[in-house]
């Protein structure tokens, strides 16, 4: 399952200390995460595992509102935009 978290009250701090305006949580382990953020742009992406450790993943911009994150194994975690 997927959980979209709309942030209010200011940005959150993602792994590595960068701020994010949008957060997405993947709660069911999957190799492909599709994130419909509807920000109307191609934002920088930070991906973390469920413990908050930044991880490398393949990120594809489908369009200005959707990104797809691909992992080698099924995992849960977060995407910060």
């Amino acid at each position: 399952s997927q959980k979209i978290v709309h942030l209010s009250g200011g940005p959150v701090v993602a792994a590595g200390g960068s701020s994010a305006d949008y957060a997405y949580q993947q709660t069911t382990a999957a190799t492909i995460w599709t994130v419909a953020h509807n920000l109307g742009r191609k934002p920088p992406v930070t991906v973390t595992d469920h413990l908050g450790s930044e991880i490398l993943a393949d990120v594809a911009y489908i369009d200005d509102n959707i990104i797809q994150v691909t992992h080698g194994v099924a995992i849960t975690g977060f995407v910060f935009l």
Side-chain angles (χ1 to χ4, degrees):
S1 91
Q2 304 169 1
K3 182 178 183 182
I4 297 172
V5 181
H6 296 281
L7 305 174
S8 59
V12 297
V13 177
S18 62
S19 65
D21 295 320
Y22 183 91
Y24 168 89
Q25 182 179 11
Q26 179 73 35
T27 57
T28 301
T31 56
I32 298 175
W33 305 352
T34 301
V35 181
H37 54 77
N38 297 317
L39 295 174
R41 58 188 170 87
K42 294 179 173 91
V45 177
T46 300
V47 181
T48 71
D49 63 16
H50 68 286
L51 298 174
S53 298
E54 191 168 348
I55 57 174
L56 294 177
D58 291 327
V59 176
Y61 293 93
I62 305 305
D63 60 28
D64 285 349
N65 294 304
I66 300 172
I67 63 167
Q68 192 169 69
V69 179
T70 304
H71 308 279
V73 296
I75 61 170
T76 61
F78 298 88
V79 175
F80 297 98
L81 309 175

